[in-house]
Amino acid sequence: MTKTVYFDNNATTRVAPEVVEEMLPYFHDLYGNPSSMHFFGGQVNRKVEDAREKVAALLGAKPDEIIFTSCGTESDNASIMGTLDRYPEKRHFVTTRVEHPAVWNLCPYLRSKDYRITELSVDRNGQLDLEELKSVIGDDTALVSIMYANNETGVIFPVDAIGEIVKARGIPFHTDAVQAVGKIPLDMSRQPIDMLSLSGHKLHAPKGIGVLYLRRGTKFSPLMKGGHQEKGRRGGTENVPYILGLGKAAELAMANMEEENTRVVALRDRMEKGLVESIPSTIVNGEGMSRLPNTSSVCFECVEGESILMMLDEIGVCASSGSACTSGSLEPSHVLRAMGVPFTAAHGSIRLSLSVYNKDEEVDHLLKHMPSIIENLRDISPFWKDFKEGKLPAAFAG
Ligand code: PLP
């Protein structure tokens, strides 16, 4: 069997063995409810609070600003709905055209509830225009939600400058930092952020655990109304083993941060350089911009991203496509579309996302096989010959 080379860490990560070890006793021996009055629950409660401190340390936050949720999507929904609920007279919500569906797909819903939505545009490098942000926010703006780093391209937004603009107008600021946490250093004690979402499964904890960071004093109404858990801000009995797993993962992320930003980034850069040098008409999206250390979004002109993924599958490489196949038609991703990536390139995009578990020889394996994969696909492409000769109609190239 071909060895698996896992380059899809922005989709989900391997649960670290140390995380599994931390969690196991809380399934079979220490299964108490942290809210129980007896000693059996009390000891579990202390462990939950330890985990809260570890997550707070990773974010430079105070432990009581950490609310455990079920996932990144819940944290995003809770921040947005929980803020809008507190400012019912304000009907304007500002976000961007490149958010993850966890935020983006709230927009049609909010429109149906008579909210006015501004989706900020990005340029060819995936970057925002802060003057546009300044010009759209007004007295009616209830909330600005802008992601920290893009899940497809890895492009990092200037979150500090954004937060300063937004907070100078007295407006709450939420950031979806699901892809940033654990990969780059964050520090809520100095960053102008009121709310932040993170998801455990992107940093080597299991799927099904997330966090909403809520700065002290931020107005918020709980999405999950129920018991008194999480100081009344998120009802529901705590998912103890997963919370402890996330605490451990936060500790590991702090320990691995330097490696992520030295070895992993060097591996990613070598991979990109190798692809661009060995395959003509290859574009790295957001190249030269401030990007996550592990993420690469690469377009190969005149091939289908899905076909590349199928060929990669055969050599044991897991990656993901920048395009989503919706209702039988191949639509390029909304992120690349918003960046104005040409049609023929956007269709041939793939995302390669690394982690501290990836090794040099895995990148060598990819670089060895990729040129022939692309060449074979271009041989059967209806566009490649015309593209190469500069004869492709403008409607296709643009
Ligand atoms: N936000 C971003 C930027 C993401 O990349 C993801 C997951 O891919 C999410 C939110 C959703 O997180 P979860 O899968 O934990 O709901």
Side-chain angles (χ1 to χ4, degrees):
M1 207 181 85
T2 327
K3 186 179 167 298
T4 302
V5 174
Y6 190 73
F7 286 155
D8 201 11
N9 287 281
N10 284 12
T12 197
T13 57
R14 166 188 179 185
V15 180
E18 298 91 329
V19 168
V20 177
E21 198 183 321
E22 179 83 12
M23 289 167 56
L24 284 178
Y26 296 85
F27 289 106
H28 40 73
D29 293 333
L30 300 162
Y31 50 81
N33 185 326
S35 299
S36 297
M37 296 301 286
H38 47 67
F39 74 96
F40 195 62
Q43 61 189 353
V44 172
N45 186 43
R46 277 189 294 282
K47 293 294 290 186
V48 168
E49 293 316 309
D50 285 352
R52 200 183 304 279
E53 280 175 22
K54 289 175 188 167
V55 175
L58 177 65
L59 297 180
K62 301 177 186 80
D64 63 3
E65 295 175 321
I66 302 300
I67 304 173
F68 290 112
T69 66
S70 66
C71 60
T73 303
E74 184 192 325
S75 302
D76 284 339
N77 273 252
S79 315
I80 295 169
M81 302 311 291
T83 304
L84 297 182
D85 204 40
R86 291 299 298 267
Y87 297 94
E89 70 295 352
K90 297 194 175 190
R91 310 300 295 177
H92 182 217
F93 172 61
V94 178
T95 185
T96 78
R97 288 175 63 191
V98 296
E99 297 297 311
H100 185 274
V103 171
W104 213 51
N105 282 342
L106 273 175
C107 295
Y109 171 76
L110 292 174
R111 276 193 192 96
S112 78
K113 299 287 170 199
D114 295 329
Y115 280 93
R116 189 165 61 83
I117 314 287
T118 303
E119 291 173 13
L120 299 169
S121 53
V122 294
D123 63 18
R124 186 68 181 78
N125 290 316
Q127 214 27 282
L128 289 170
D129 175 0
L130 297 190
E131 292 306 313
E132 189 191 359
L133 170 66
K134 279 185 201 158
S135 72
V136 299
I137 50 181
D139 294 341
D140 194 27
T141 308
L143 174 68
V144 174
S145 175
I146 293 180
M147 70 198 320
Y148 208 114
N150 189 270
N151 44 300
E152 288 186 29
T153 60
V155 169
I156 299 172
F157 281 150
V159 165
D160 290 2
I162 294 168
E164 267 152 32
I165 293 168
V166 175
K167 291 182 66 74
R169 300 289 298 269
I171 299 165
F173 175 45
H174 165 253
T175 186
D176 174 346
V178 163
Q179 293 293 347
V181 173
K183 295 174 189 158
I184 51 174
L186 308 188
D187 185 0
M188 294 308 106
S189 71
R190 54 153 208 90
Q191 293 187 273
I193 294 169
D194 297 311
M195 286 164 284
L196 173 148
S197 307
L198 75 84
S199 173
H201 74 107
K202 310 292 183 178
L203 62 142
H204 306 289
K207 297 153 194 64
I209 181 74
V211 159
L212 163 57
Y213 158 81
L214 183 69
R215 182 178 293 281
R216 279 185 190 166
T218 307
K219 282 192 183 178
F220 172 78
S221 111
L223 183 67
M224 295 285 236
K225 296 167 180 64
H228 56 273
Q229 295 90 352
E230 301 301 281
K231 297 193 190 304
R233 297 168 300 181
R234 200 272 186 186
T237 303
E238 297 86 344
N239 185 348
V240 173
Y242 283 42
I243 289 173
L244 304 200
L246 180 55
K248 187 70 190 175
E251 211 172 56
L252 293 173
M254 284 177 83
N256 289 338
M257 191 72 75
E258 198 185 324
E259 182 183 354
E260 183 88 37
N261 288 278
T262 50
R263 191 184 69 78
V264 175
V265 78
L267 200 57
R268 191 275 312 266
D269 288 351
R270 183 166 78 79
M271 177 177 76
E272 286 181 354
K273 191 163 177 280
L275 292 173
V276 169
E277 284 178 358
S278 63
I279 305 169
S281 303
T282 297
I283 303 161
V284 176
N285 296 306
E287 192 178 17
M289 303 306 291
S290 171
R291 274 187 296 150
L292 293 175
N294 77 320
T295 309
S296 222
S297 163
V298 190
C299 291
F300 302 94
E301 286 281 3
C302 302
V303 289
E304 281 295 341
E306 278 70 18
S307 310
I308 306 173
L309 295 186
M310 280 160 61
M311 309 294 275
L312 286 177
D313 238 28
E314 286 181 15
I315 58 158
V317 174
C318 307
S320 79
S321 167
S323 54
C325 183
T326 43
S327 58
S329 71
L330 287 170
E331 279 290 314
S333 88
H334 72 284
V335 174
L336 299 185
R337 262 196 341 252
M339 289 168 69
V341 175
F343 174 91
T344 49
H347 271 277
S349 74
I350 62 164
R351 179 185 69 187
L352 298 152
S353 46
L354 279 51
S355 82
V356 287
Y357 291 111
N358 287 121
K359 302 269 180 294
D360 265 313
E361 50 273 25
E362 294 178 318
V363 166
D364 294 339
H365 180 68
L366 179 83
L367 292 177
K368 181 172 156 212
H369 292 280
M370 204 63 166
S372 59
I373 289 178
I374 300 299
E375 199 181 318
N376 291 341
L377 291 173
R378 281 177 175 166
D379 281 347
I380 53 167
S381 160
F383 302 115
W384 177 239
K385 188 165 168 290
D386 284 349
F387 177 88
K388 238 182 359 183
E389 293 167 6
K391 291 188 198 151
L392 207 62
F396 282 102

